[in-house]
Amino acid sequence: MTEQLPTIVVIGYNRPKSLSRLLGSLIQAQYPEGNVRLVISLDNSGNPAPRQVAEAFDWPHGEKLIIAHPQRLGLRQHVLSCGDLTEQYGDVIILEDDLFVSPFFYDYTHRALQAYADDTGVAGISLYSVQFSQTVDLPFMPIDDGDSHVHFIQMAASWGQAWSRRHWQGFRQWLENNGTDISHIDGIPADIRGWPESSWLKLYTAYIIAKDLYFVYPFRSLTTNFGDPGQHFNIASSRFQVPIQQKAVDYKFARREDSLSIYDAYCELLPACIKRRNPVLADYDFATNLYGSKTCKGLQLTRTNARGLHNFALSMKPMELSILHNIEGEGLALIDSADLISDSKTRQKAEYDIYRFFYKFPSVRIIFLGVIERLQMLLKRA
């Protein structure tokens, strides 16, 4: 029986130049022998140009289908309708029109879908490599996980993602049972809660948090985002541009239960991963709060200069490495959350230290914090 290859689904609306750029990157990519189906799904914008781009595009790798929706769906409903194509086609790769793909995106995604097909704790595959935490406005540096090319985050992806029929059915069933009110679900970062109602990504992330599931993320990105103006971008931005893979790789995929690089929705390394590498912490029950964006009770690993049960130097990048390698010093501590109240006088220094840690010129960074916060309101993406 011939293997059914993942279907590529391109989502477009009113950006013909963006659509043309994405399709141009698709034609340069590498594909296996067989029918690599391409579906171009266009929401109704009243602008005929996106459909003209889609119809003129020659796809030599298999069947090309154009879905031109007669009525305006809006972004959330449009993405949901594209996810529903899993019922017809099985595995799908979803690409919004402001993306650009690596020549090797298809090989990575196809193999990742196969590698985690039987892992019921995986809810999807990301093609995009997260290198910046929007929650705290700081770089995100995942722990190197040996020879694995992926790590795991309890956060759904929207800048290139893949779902199997099982992945999508799980989400759709949860959505049917729970609706769109996610106010009662714990563990969702405030910035994600604040995403607009048009965001399907907010709902999918709430689903995987509620069900304790994870997305698979590559260390090296297979997509990048151009940040073209659209429904969730008011102005163009290169803020989320990342380097994309330029050379073929023999991908290796760690089993989730063996990985040392698993993160929650706050981009905080799971305590279980830390305990496996540092036996000093093995018997403690704690939350990881190195970015300082959580409200915690009990013990937490966080940034502080106060004396805790164990203290570590804020010296290695990423921050977690100082803890994994048990490097004693100041800046990070395992401490009772109640004791942080008495540490309020040193919080300003702790905040300064984290900016100095990530940025060479902290004074410049601090000056522009207000500007960045205002830009975040304009550049909110979901």
Side-chain angles (χ1 to χ4, degrees):
M1 183 177 178
T2 304
E3 177 188 12
Q4 185 172 357
L5 297 169
T7 292
I8 301 170
V9 181
V10 168
I11 296 178
Y13 173 50
N14 192 28
R15 300 184 287 197
K17 291 183 179 179
S18 301
L19 178 61
S20 180
R21 182 181 60 217
L22 170 59
L23 295 176
S25 71
L26 289 178
I27 205 67
Q28 296 177 47
Q30 297 183 7
Y31 303 94
E33 293 292 330
N35 179 27
V36 179
R37 184 183 296 104
L38 173 65
V39 176
I40 304 174
S41 181
L42 302 174
D43 201 358
N44 190 334
S45 66
N47 181 0
R51 181 160 187 173
Q52 292 169 356
V53 170
E55 290 177 344
F57 180 67
D58 181 36
W59 180 246
H61 302 288
E63 181 183 11
K64 184 187 83 170
L65 300 171
I66 298 174
I67 301 174
H69 294 279
Q71 303 295 328
R72 173 82 166 99
L73 296 178
L75 182 59
R76 185 171 80 183
Q77 193 56 43
H78 192 187
V79 174
L80 293 180
S81 73
C82 290
D84 289 341
L85 293 174
T86 55
E87 286 299 315
Q88 184 175 356
Y89 299 129
D91 296 345
V92 296
I93 302 171
I94 306 293
L95 302 169
E96 293 187 35
D97 59 9
D98 58 349
L99 301 179
F100 193 92
V101 300
S102 159
F104 308 101
F105 86 97
Y106 197 87
D107 181 43
Y108 158 79
T109 313
H110 186 198
R111 292 175 62 181
L113 284 164
Q114 291 177 320
Y116 297 104
D118 298 324
D119 187 340
T120 56
V122 167
I125 308 295
S126 174
L127 284 71
Y128 181 83
S129 175
V130 174
Q131 300 179 18
F132 192 87
S133 171
Q134 296 181 67
T135 297
V136 291
D137 193 30
L138 286 172
F140 170 62
M141 305 175 186
I143 294 289
D144 182 358
D145 197 17
D147 62 355
S148 178
H149 289 90
V150 299
H151 59 99
F152 304 86
I153 309 180
Q154 198 162 60
M155 180 174 62
S158 66
W159 293 331
Q161 70 273 8
W163 293 303
S164 68
R165 184 179 290 116
R166 175 182 65 79
H167 295 151
W168 192 252
Q169 285 177 341
F171 169 62
R172 271 302 207 178
Q173 186 62 56
W174 177 86
L175 191 60
E176 180 179 338
N177 294 339
N178 293 272
T180 59
D181 181 6
I182 63 172
S183 59
H184 62 287
I185 300 175
D186 294 330
I188 302 176
D191 65 309
I192 295 179
R193 288 191 188 279
W195 287 348
E197 290 304 307
S198 58
S199 171
W200 67 269
L201 183 62
K202 177 166 68 171
L203 297 177
Y204 207 102
T205 296
Y207 156 65
I208 65 176
I209 291 172
K211 303 294 288 185
D212 194 25
L213 307 175
Y214 293 85
F215 248 64
V216 177
Y217 280 82
F219 284 103
R220 285 194 275 181
S221 196
L222 284 302
T223 59
T224 191
N225 182 285
F226 271 78
D228 298 326
Q231 184 165 346
H232 292 137
F233 277 115
N234 293 325
I235 59 175
S237 171
S238 61
R239 185 185 186 199
F240 300 109
Q241 271 279 357
V242 295
I244 56 175
Q245 184 184 317
Q246 295 297 310
K247 192 173 182 179
V249 171
D250 182 15
Y251 296 107
K252 295 181 175 60
F253 300 98
R255 295 196 312 162
R256 188 170 48 86
E257 54 267 34
D258 296 332
S259 177
L260 292 173
S261 195
I262 309 177
Y263 295 82
D264 63 20
Y266 294 82
C267 291
E268 297 279 5
L269 189 65
L270 295 192
C273 295
I274 295 173
K275 293 179 183 183
R276 284 167 53 193
R277 285 297 304 273
N278 189 344
V280 168
L281 302 177
D283 294 331
Y284 293 102
D285 183 14
F286 60 86
T288 311
N289 193 25
L290 299 183
Y291 283 108
S293 59
K294 296 179 182 177
T295 300
C296 299
K297 295 181 179 180
L299 292 179
Q300 60 173 296
L301 271 173
T302 192
R303 300 192 320 270
T304 178
N305 294 314
R307 293 302 302 172
L309 298 175
H310 294 278
N311 287 76
F312 308 95
L314 182 60
S315 58
M316 298 187 73
K317 295 184 181 182
M319 294 181 286
E320 296 91 338
L321 285 182
S322 293
I323 300 170
L324 298 185
H325 292 286
N326 202 36
I327 298 178
E328 296 180 358
E330 290 188 349
L332 304 172
L334 177 67
I335 191 170
D336 193 297
S337 299
D339 293 337
L340 290 174
I341 297 175
S342 62
D343 186 39
S344 59
K345 292 182 179 180
T346 67
R347 294 300 295 171
Q348 185 175 0
K349 182 178 185 303
E351 292 300 315
Y352 177 84
D353 285 344
I354 197 65
Y355 293 125
R356 184 179 64 185
F357 178 76
F358 281 112
Y359 298 98
K360 184 175 181 181
F361 302 107
S363 59
V364 175
R365 168 66 179 169
I366 292 171
I367 288 172
F368 282 98
L369 279 179
V371 176
I372 291 174
E373 288 175 357
R374 291 188 180 185
L375 284 174
Q376 282 182 307
M377 297 299 294
L378 294 173
L379 304 178
K380 185 78 72 174
R381 180 70 165 93

